[in-house]
Amino acid sequence: MATKRDYYEILGVDKKASADELKSAYRKLAMQYHPDKNKSPDAEEKFKEISESYAVLSDQGKRQQYDQFGHAGIDQRYSQEDIFRGVDFEDLFRDIGMGGRGRGGGSIFDFFSGGGGRREGPSRGSDLLYELAINLEDAAKGKAVELEVPRTENCDVCHGSGAKPGTSPKTCSTCRGSGQVNKTQNTPFGRFMTSSTCGTCRGAGTIIDSPCTTCHGSGKVQRRRKIEVKIPPGVDTGSRLRVSGEGEAGGKGGPPGDLYVEINIKPHNIFTRNENDLIMEATISFTQAALGDEIIVPTLDGKAEMKIPPGTQNGHIFRLKGKGISSLHTSWKGDQLVKIKVSVPTKLTDRQKELLREFAQISGEKTRGKSIFEKVRDHI
């Protein structure tokens, strides 16, 4: 698959370009490559390319995602319809003498998705995003959770038609079912057809004389649906789980959208995570570090024994194999890293000082008035 070009490069602007500079660059290129004006075989693809670039970069949120993650931040987060939602192409093209429509009078999004000017067929429902916060243990081991998701569903009474049971919608006589009213306009660049939403049916293409009393003719109702989602072991903050068919209801019998569950891992009071490894800190005494010992450390699977060899230094890191987090896509498991912190007492009795001075003398240490313990403490 060909690599997508950089949006800034496509528009010919700097990455620090202002909103006005983006708009000016887009309008210039739109006049050059609009398929109703440019008959080159590649004009349509170039027009789609520059329009997508402008749609992303003119939206502050999408632009921030693109600047941080590139095309992956857009393609994995937004559908084609989401990309173009909110951009007033009508206004942009009207200012340069062209309507914001594709060939055949369709909307700008119909043009990009390859459709014509009619919207009377089934349409897929919108995707939903649910942000879910879980603890580290659930991320490591996986868990089934029940979410309560607010969404639009087809009305059970009229089955999405919007008409009262026993009746049916009628085709709009004004637009003849297209939902659009076309208008031909002569401009210096040629003759263009523009379209506007039909005022009689408000773009629906049909008229409902007897609306359903449950949904009031919309064919849709708002509900909170309980959905079980299985969280696999190994997810991390930013992971997205796709639940097919659990998004918004489609239009006119179209399929529903999908539900995306975005994971956020809560901070843990003991562990920090580095990919599949877990990192923690264990505090031991000066004598344990010098003489060695066995200590008990917590893991996500319970408590584990760990040997401290004699002469362990402050900051030394021990590795517990396989005590980390499972990989999301393989059976491999990370490790647990235990960083040692040697605790130095702040108060010593006279006897303790005497013993440490004796230790220093036996070891040939010259403490210059300080106990060997104090000397060690100064260097830790």
Side-chain angles (χ1 to χ4, degrees):
M1 185 172 66
T3 303
K4 296 181 72 172
R5 292 174 60 202
D6 178 74
Y7 286 147
Y8 293 100
E9 178 187 341
I10 291 169
L11 294 179
V13 296
D14 185 79
K15 289 191 175 182
K16 296 181 180 180
S18 66
D20 289 340
E21 290 172 332
L22 288 171
K23 186 174 182 179
S24 176
Y26 174 69
R27 283 155 59 107
K28 181 180 179 181
L29 291 170
M31 291 179 66
Q32 182 179 353
Y33 290 107
H34 195 291
D36 288 342
K37 181 177 179 295
N38 189 323
K39 302 304 179 183
S40 300
D42 60 345
E44 183 171 320
E45 283 305 314
K46 287 184 177 179
F47 181 71
K48 292 178 182 179
E49 188 179 50
I50 64 173
S51 296
E52 179 180 324
S53 302
Y54 178 74
V56 171
L57 298 182
S58 62
D59 183 287
Q60 186 175 358
K62 295 184 181 74
R63 185 174 182 176
Q64 185 177 2
Q65 285 287 321
Y66 178 73
D67 288 343
Q68 187 173 1
F69 302 108
H71 287 292
I74 300 300
D75 298 340
Q76 296 178 13
R77 190 179 184 92
Y78 302 103
S79 66
Q80 185 84 342
E81 186 173 0
D82 289 333
I83 289 176
F84 292 102
R85 184 181 287 116
V87 182
D88 191 354
F89 285 101
E90 289 282 351
D91 179 62
L92 282 165
F93 290 131
R94 189 182 299 112
D95 288 348
I96 58 177
M98 296 187 289
R101 303 280 162 178
R103 291 174 179 169
S107 73
I108 195 75
F109 178 69
D110 280 338
F111 175 78
F112 293 140
S113 59
R118 301 174 67 86
R119 285 187 172 233
E120 57 186 41
S123 60
R124 181 181 180 275
S126 299
D127 295 333
L128 293 176
L129 177 65
Y130 189 103
E131 296 181 353
L132 178 64
I134 62 174
N135 58 40
L136 185 63
E137 287 81 0
D138 291 338
K141 299 178 182 180
K143 185 180 181 180
V145 297
E146 188 176 74
L147 309 180
E148 190 172 295
V149 180
R151 68 182 186 184
T152 300
E153 298 183 356
N154 286 325
C155 176
D156 293 334
V157 177
C158 67
H159 304 291
S161 72
K164 186 177 180 179
T167 67
S168 59
K170 298 178 181 178
T171 301
C172 176
S173 58
T174 302
C175 64
R176 296 187 179 138
S178 69
Q180 305 288 332
V181 178
N182 298 327
K183 180 181 178 181
T184 302
Q185 180 181 4
N186 293 318
T187 74
F189 302 105
R191 192 178 183 185
F192 297 98
M193 179 179 289
T194 60
S195 299
S196 59
T197 302
C198 176
T200 304
C201 65
R202 297 182 181 179
T206 56
I207 301 293
I208 299 175
D209 293 328
S210 301
C212 171
T213 56
T214 300
C215 65
H216 307 290
S218 68
K220 302 286 191 295
V221 291
Q222 288 288 333
R223 288 203 176 97
R224 300 185 71 87
R225 182 70 64 181
K226 291 184 177 180
I227 301 171
E228 184 176 88
V229 177
K230 293 182 178 180
I231 301 173
V235 294
D236 201 353
T237 293
S239 296
R240 279 196 174 189
L241 310 177
R242 176 174 171 266
V243 187
S244 179
E246 294 293 353
E248 300 272 20
K252 297 186 178 180
D258 298 330
L259 171 65
Y260 287 88
V261 181
E262 186 169 273
I263 301 297
N264 180 45
I265 310 298
K266 300 175 186 177
H268 199 275
N269 60 346
I270 297 175
F271 300 107
T272 57
R273 180 175 177 175
N274 180 23
E275 296 183 349
N276 293 101
D277 290 338
L278 293 175
I279 304 170
M280 65 161 290
E281 192 174 78
T283 301
I284 62 174
S285 69
F286 170 72
T287 52
Q288 285 178 304
L291 302 176
D293 200 356
E294 284 190 0
I295 64 172
I296 303 296
V297 295
T299 72
L300 291 182
D301 298 320
K303 296 179 179 179
E305 287 188 355
M306 190 179 77
K307 290 185 177 181
I308 303 294
T312 295
Q313 301 297 305
N314 184 65
H316 186 83
I317 296 176
F318 293 95
R319 184 181 295 270
L320 300 179
K321 285 284 188 181
K323 293 297 184 180
I325 293 180
S326 299
S327 171
L328 185 58
H329 302 294
T330 68
S331 59
W332 178 81
K333 203 171 184 181
D335 303 328
Q336 180 171 319
L337 308 179
V338 183
K339 184 177 181 180
I340 296 300
K341 179 181 178 182
V342 179
S343 175
V344 179
T346 57
K347 293 182 180 180
L348 293 172
T349 66
D350 291 340
R351 178 57 177 159
Q352 288 172 326
K353 292 178 182 178
E354 181 183 348
L355 290 172
L356 285 171
R357 289 193 182 101
E358 183 179 347
F359 172 78
Q361 291 174 354
I362 295 173
S363 303
E365 295 277 351
K366 293 183 179 181
T367 63
R368 295 182 181 177
K370 292 184 178 181
S371 71
I372 185 63
F373 185 84
E374 290 170 326
K375 185 178 180 183
V376 170
R377 182 181 65 188
D378 291 342
H379 288 82
I380 291 179

